[in-house]
Amino acid sequence: MRVSILGSRDQLCVNPAVMEAPSSREKLHMCQARVKSKTCTFHQNVEKSKERPELRDNEIMDIEDLHKLGKKHNFCPYYMSRELYQSADVIFLPYNYLLDHKIRASLDIDFNGAVIIFDEAHNVQKLCEETASVNISGQDIALAVKDIEEAVEELKNPNVGFDEADVAPKDLNESELLIIKDLLLDVEKQFTGILAGKTSLTHPGSFVHGMFQNFRNPGIVKALELLVEYTNSSNTAAFSAKGRGVTRLLEFINGAFNEHIRPEDLHELYKVHICKEEKKEGGKGFLKGKSDNTILHLWCFSPGFSMQRLARLGARSIILTSGTLSPLQATAEEIGLPFPVQLENQHIVTASQVWCGVLGTGPDGTSLNSSFKSRSDPKYLAALGQVIIMILKIVPKGVLIFFPSYGLLNSTREFWQNSGIWSRIDNIKRILVEPQRKDALSTAMKEYYEEVKTGRGGCFMAVCRGKVAEGLDFADDNGRAVLVTGLPYPPYKDARVELKRQFLDDQIRGKKGSMTGHKWYQLEAFRATNQAIGRVIRHSRDHGAVIFLDTRFGDHQAKVSLSRWLQPFFQKYTNIGVAIKGLANFFKVDSSIGVLRQSAVSKQTAMIEASRGIKRPMPQQDDGDKPQQDDQPALDLAERYQDRPQVKAEVAQDIYSTSSSHITFNNITRKEGGGQLMAAPMMVGQKRKKIKLTSNKSLPEKQEAGNDESEAGTRNMAMEYVARLKKMLGAEEMKQFKTAMQQYKIKKQFDVLVPVLKNVILVHQSSDENLVRDFKVFIKRDHLSDFDLFCNVTAASL
């Protein structure tokens, strides 16, 4: 079976001159020009390199492997992949190559009877819409007019810009080019006044018929194709705009008027949205400015339109796989194809490997809600920072924190930096932030991995739907916890989002669909959430925590919208102290379980090796050779949360034993000379004595005396504390103190003490520096951890 892989020029080109081009379009044109003029040595070496052993013997390679091989042996990996796939049985390729009808047609793959598998298909609906959508701007029209004028001038003067390798002058007709120019000038006039003072306009997709009706003529389309070929082949400069305008025009015409799009499709499935183009620099969020360039978007809102065109090519099966396709029925409805076979499995991991919880309030009781109304509230931002600090002190190694958007990430960072929370987080774990530039991401990731491996741990702040959330791997220590700070809804006022919701509601009213715009809007948020939380568990022996820091995740609808594998572990916490204790206990216990898993895997490996006839013992590991992700959390948390460090001898030696000091036969030694186990010693001929057990009557008396002394000491300390309070508190404050203590005695809840601690005790802390600490005398044993959290986190921040 022969295997091949396809990729873009961005991924596979090795020609240094072409790679200097600023965009994919320029790379395409420069590459084609060099290939046509036979000036690319890498392309010329493709044919003779096809017989290299690595390619002839069908070694399975990914894109990086093929790129390295081409660079090493001076052949073009891009064109080599185009040669290899024609005889391949299995082809790996980006799935936009299948959904974009222009790219699909250029590949000329026979899909009849083929099995098409979309892996990581959680974004397939969005890509279906994008590949069927096109846009064009007023600047594109102006550049196209300029391209035509230059081409006409060169036709009049053939010695300028023409050679034998370029398109022959007879293929271009000057009169046809002048007709196209007049049509473009007419379109340009319409662009100039189309908004008439409005910020935007929306029309049915059929609106483009009126503006670009004359460009549907096959003769004009053919002339444009010849002009694009000519201008691009005669342009070899990396930063030249020559040919860009007519190329954009042709792409728009082919996208709006091709044989697959009927007039009724344009009217029902497409919308035209006209607006001013946003400036790429000079602002962010609502401060973004608008340029003078008017842009016309032709947006497709039906994912099924592209998928149905693919299905009509005769494929035997179309399979979609992903960890975040749920709910499956809604996904099938959007795609518009019947899926007779649907499978949704549970995760391979067990409850001991996943901790999942919703924390809806901060240490001071502030609600955690990142909705538009509260996301800028200083109290919310401070509470969110305090909770994250508490979690980072518990979770070992690497932690991922996902924000709903770049705007919210940047505004939160600014507040934390001004309030000191940022530096406190950075003191616990080094902070790295997902860059918006793709070329900077690899550097940030390298620093994060290195910090997790050799430093105090890393905290990577990223964005849902970003590169980090969508496809990067954070196995083992690189991702021991994922924190999601809010529901990542699409921008509510974004024109495309608004029109998508309207489109779905119109489909419901016309009885042509079953999903409302509101339901789609909610699903988009949870799809992005599910993709982000999938970073934490990467294999069967991994473990980690998923923590939602937004009260809205506690709703029932939110729970059922999460990935099915996570739902059994989902728990909502109303008391942050209980959640923090549970999280700490999870990492304390699971670190020991991790040791047992590794032991079980070693035993399974030994059995497999033995069944293959390999008679060699498994290598024994020293303490220092054990994986760091198993022993490091146990050491930290044992010292932090136990009175004494965990004793290594008490950890069970296999997956079926118990991590305790109970009786076990795993430590029975073997005789030096053989493989038989030593028998337990027997006492022969001795009569068993009967031993009568009696209670030690003096013990309760001693214990009772000790308890009396302890209670008397506590009462004396409490009386002394009250006496200190009476000296510095007023009558009203003393009344608050007494009321709180009475309520605490009745309700037995630590929360009833928080107001008096904040509003009375902390206020007078400056007069008596031990006032808060000595309040501990009133705290019940079960609430000591809650009191410690208050002292270390809440009191420290006020």
Side-chain angles (χ1 to χ4, degrees):
M1 182 176 291
R2 299 188 64 82
V3 179
S4 180
I5 186 166
L6 296 176
S8 66
R9 286 177 173 83
D10 287 331
Q11 298 166 312
L12 292 173
C13 180
V14 292
N15 189 317
V18 175
M19 293 309 296
E20 289 178 0
S23 69
S24 298
R25 183 175 293 108
E26 273 76 18
K27 289 174 185 174
L28 166 67
H29 298 155
M30 292 179 66
C31 172
Q32 290 176 339
R34 280 164 170 75
V35 169
K36 188 171 183 179
S37 61
K38 298 181 180 180
T39 58
C40 179
T41 57
F42 299 97
H43 177 261
Q44 291 178 303
N45 290 335
V46 167
E47 190 63 32
K48 64 181 180 182
S49 298
K50 286 166 61 175
E51 295 303 315
R52 291 201 59 79
E54 301 92 333
L55 303 173
R56 186 184 64 244
D57 298 340
N58 196 35
E59 289 186 12
I60 297 178
M61 293 181 285
D62 58 20
I63 285 179
E64 289 78 13
D65 294 332
L66 185 57
H67 183 271
K68 289 178 182 177
L69 190 67
K71 197 169 184 178
K72 180 179 179 180
H73 299 288
N74 293 321
F75 68 80
C76 177
Y78 176 80
Y79 280 100
M80 180 63 77
S81 68
R82 264 54 183 173
E83 292 286 335
L84 297 176
Y85 88 87
Q86 299 180 24
S87 59
D89 301 297
V90 179
I91 305 173
F92 293 94
L93 69 167
Y95 53 68
N96 63 304
Y97 283 28
L98 296 176
L99 298 174
D100 190 318
H101 71 95
K102 301 183 293 294
I103 301 177
R104 187 173 64 228
S106 68
L107 293 175
D108 194 27
I109 297 175
D110 182 10
F111 291 97
N112 191 36
V115 176
I116 300 175
I117 303 175
F118 290 90
D119 190 24
E120 298 294 341
H122 48 272
N123 282 332
V124 71
Q125 302 101 308
K126 181 180 179 181
L127 196 62
C128 282
E129 294 178 357
E130 289 180 350
T131 55
S133 302
V134 288
N135 64 70
I136 194 168
S137 69
Q139 287 184 0
D140 295 330
I141 300 297
L143 284 174
V145 171
K146 183 179 178 182
D147 288 335
I148 292 175
E149 290 174 344
E150 291 178 353
V152 170
E153 184 64 28
E154 290 169 358
L155 283 173
K156 293 178 179 178
N157 303 281
N159 293 329
V160 180
F162 279 92
D163 57 38
E164 294 299 324
D166 293 330
V167 178
K170 60 184 178 60
D171 293 332
L172 284 173
N173 186 291
E174 182 181 344
S175 60
E176 288 181 350
L177 294 182
L178 292 175
I179 292 173
I180 295 174
K181 177 185 173 182
D182 290 340
L183 294 175
L184 284 175
L185 290 173
D186 183 55
V187 171
E188 191 175 28
K189 288 180 182 178
Q190 296 182 58
F191 260 84
T192 303
I194 196 168
L195 287 175
K198 298 180 180 179
T199 56
S200 64
L201 284 174
T202 301
H203 298 283
S206 53
F207 175 84
V208 296
H209 277 293
M211 185 174 284
F212 293 93
Q213 176 68 31
N214 294 320
F215 289 91
R216 300 178 64 189
N217 186 304
I220 290 180
V221 173
K222 180 64 177 177
L224 280 175
E225 290 174 348
L226 291 171
L227 181 59
V228 167
E229 183 181 357
Y230 166 65
T231 54
N232 290 329
S233 63
S234 60
N235 175 29
T236 58
F239 301 97
S240 172
K242 183 177 182 180
R244 193 179 304 177
V246 289
T247 301
R248 293 280 295 145
L249 175 63
L250 183 61
E251 289 174 352
F252 181 82
I253 299 302
N254 286 335
F257 310 113
N258 62 70
E259 68 276 13
H260 302 291
I261 302 179
R262 301 169 301 174
E264 53 267 34
D265 293 331
L266 269 179
H267 183 77
E268 296 176 4
L269 307 180
Y270 284 78
K271 294 286 185 183
V272 168
H273 183 75
I274 306 170
C275 60
K276 291 290 185 181
E277 187 179 22
E278 287 185 350
K279 292 180 180 178
K280 293 184 179 180
E281 297 178 357
K284 61 180 180 179
F286 294 113
L287 299 178
K288 276 187 177 179
K290 301 289 184 179
S291 70
D292 292 330
N293 187 26
T294 302
I295 186 167
L296 184 151
H297 299 278
L298 180 62
W299 286 329
C300 175
F301 290 108
S302 172
F305 183 62
S306 293
M307 288 296 291
Q308 288 164 8
R309 284 194 288 180
L310 178 63
R312 287 195 290 266
L313 297 178
R316 180 179 182 273
S317 301
I318 296 179
I319 303 172
L320 274 63
T321 69
S322 177
T324 52
L325 282 178
S326 60
L328 297 186
Q329 188 57 39
T331 301
E333 290 174 9
E334 276 197 271
I335 290 174
L337 293 178
F339 287 89
V341 179
Q342 297 184 14
L343 179 64
E344 190 170 14
N345 287 323
Q346 295 291 347
H347 207 291
I348 194 172
V349 296
T350 62
S352 69
Q353 295 171 257
V354 183
W355 190 95
C356 177
V358 178
L359 280 64
T361 57
D364 59 351
T366 301
S367 176
L368 299 180
N369 188 318
S370 70
S371 62
F372 182 76
K373 293 181 180 178
S374 58
R375 64 177 54 174
S376 300
D377 185 353
K379 289 184 65 177
Y380 158 73
L381 293 172
L384 177 65
Q386 301 300 343
V387 173
I388 289 175
I389 288 172
M390 294 166 65
I391 294 171
L392 293 181
K393 289 181 178 179
I394 294 172
V395 181
K397 298 298 181 178
V399 176
L400 306 175
I401 303 178
F402 285 104
F403 291 82
S405 66
Y406 280 110
L408 193 53
L409 169 58
N410 293 332
S411 62
T412 304
R413 174 170 59 178
E414 184 177 351
F415 177 87
W416 285 352
Q417 287 173 339
N418 293 333
S419 62
I421 294 176
W422 187 267
S423 59
R424 291 176 62 192
I425 293 175
D426 195 58
N427 288 335
I428 302 170
K429 295 183 187 292
R430 184 186 171 191
I431 299 175
L432 289 110
V433 180
E434 178 180 11
Q436 291 184 252
R437 287 178 24 246
K438 290 182 179 179
D439 56 343
L441 180 60
S442 59
T443 302
M445 292 304 306
K446 185 177 180 181
E447 292 180 12
Y448 173 75
Y449 290 146
E450 187 65 26
E451 195 66 38
V452 170
K453 184 177 179 180
T454 62
R456 63 186 184 275
C459 171
F460 203 108
M461 297 187 182
V463 174
C464 294
R465 296 188 184 88
K467 184 67 175 177
V468 171
E470 291 291 327
L472 295 183
D473 188 24
F474 294 90
D476 300 317
D477 282 346
N478 290 328
R480 283 297 175 214
V482 166
L483 282 58
V484 183
T485 64
L487 276 165
Y489 287 109
Y492 191 80
K493 291 297 183 180
D494 180 81
R496 195 163 188 170
V497 172
E498 284 190 305
L499 290 175
K500 173 71 175 184
R501 294 169 60 200
Q502 292 175 16
F503 168 79
L504 291 172
D505 290 338
D506 290 342
Q507 293 284 98
I508 290 285
R509 284 189 287 268
K511 298 181 179 181
K512 296 179 182 179
S514 56
M515 181 183 294
T516 65
H518 179 69
K519 182 180 178 181
W520 168 83
Y521 190 68
Q522 285 190 317
L523 285 177
E524 283 296 291
F526 284 101
R527 280 172 180 152
T529 302
N530 289 332
Q531 192 62 24
I533 62 181
R535 304 304 97 203
V536 72
I537 302 292
R538 305 302 296 173
H539 56 81
S540 62
R541 297 181 300 282
D542 206 351
H543 70 273
V546 178
I547 306 169
F548 299 105
L549 302 178
D550 192 314
T551 185
R552 294 174 295 173
F553 281 108
D555 298 339
H556 173 73
Q557 184 59 43
K559 178 180 178 180
V560 299
S561 298
L562 294 172
S563 293
R564 188 174 177 182
W565 70 269
L566 191 65
Q567 293 179 21
F569 315 118
F570 182 92
Q571 190 168 354
K572 181 180 178 181
Y573 291 90
T574 55
N575 186 312
I576 190 171
V578 174
I580 293 298
K581 285 195 291 186
L583 183 65
N585 187 59
F586 166 77
F587 280 105
K588 179 171 61 178
V589 173
D590 195 74
S591 59
S592 299
I593 294 176
V595 174
L596 304 186
R597 287 194 206 102
Q598 294 293 339
S599 174
V601 171
S602 298
K603 290 183 178 181
Q604 292 171 2
T605 305
M607 292 173 61
I608 293 171
E609 296 294 347
S611 66
R612 292 175 179 171
I614 300 175
K615 299 181 180 179
R616 61 171 182 267
M618 292 296 294
Q620 298 296 321
Q621 289 185 337
D622 297 327
D623 292 348
D625 293 333
K626 291 182 180 179
Q628 190 176 3
Q629 61 263 32
D630 291 327
D631 58 8
Q632 184 64 35
L635 180 62
D636 289 346
L637 290 164
E639 294 175 351
R640 190 174 297 170
Y641 295 101
Q642 293 180 332
D643 294 332
R644 59 186 177 83
Q646 188 173 358
V647 181
K648 184 178 253 184
E650 294 181 358
V651 178
Q653 300 299 309
D654 64 60
I655 194 95
Y656 303 104
S657 302
T658 306
S659 296
S660 69
S661 56
H662 295 171
I663 295 173
T664 174
F665 297 101
N666 292 329
N667 56 356
I668 296 177
T669 58
R670 297 177 183 270
K671 291 183 179 180
E672 294 181 3
Q676 298 295 325
L677 290 175
M678 293 179 64
M682 296 180 62
M683 300 179 68
V684 182
Q686 294 185 12
K687 186 177 180 179
R688 296 179 180 175
K689 293 181 180 180
K690 292 183 178 180
I691 301 174
K692 185 177 181 180
L693 299 177
T694 60
S695 61
N696 186 349
K697 295 182 179 180
S698 64
L699 186 59
E701 295 175 1
K702 292 180 180 179
Q703 289 178 343
E704 187 174 342
N707 291 339
D708 290 342
E709 292 177 4
S710 176
E711 289 177 5
T714 302
R715 279 197 300 269
N716 290 335
M717 293 171 64
M719 292 172 63
E720 291 176 3
Y721 189 88
V722 172
R724 288 160 59 189
L725 287 182
K726 288 181 178 179
K727 292 179 180 180
M728 63 180 71
L729 267 59
E732 184 62 31
E733 290 177 321
M734 199 66 198
K735 183 179 179 181
Q736 292 181 37
F737 169 75
K738 291 180 179 179
T739 303
M741 298 309 300
Q742 290 171 355
Q743 291 295 315
Y744 182 56
K745 187 175 181 180
I746 296 170
K747 295 184 178 181
K748 297 180 174 58
Q749 294 180 358
F750 178 76
D751 291 345
V752 302
L753 295 177
V754 172
V756 74
L757 281 167
K758 290 174 58 178
N759 302 326
V760 177
I761 305 301
L762 273 175
V763 171
H764 295 277
Q765 173 82 355
S766 58
S767 302
D768 187 343
E769 61 181 13
N770 295 325
L771 197 62
V772 175
R773 186 198 67 186
D774 293 346
F775 192 90
K776 188 175 182 178
V777 70
F778 300 106
I779 305 300
K780 297 180 182 297
R781 184 183 298 273
D782 294 341
H783 300 151
L784 287 176
S785 61
D786 295 326
F787 179 71
D788 289 339
L789 286 172
F790 177 87
C791 293
N792 296 327
V793 178
T794 305
S797 66
L798 295 176

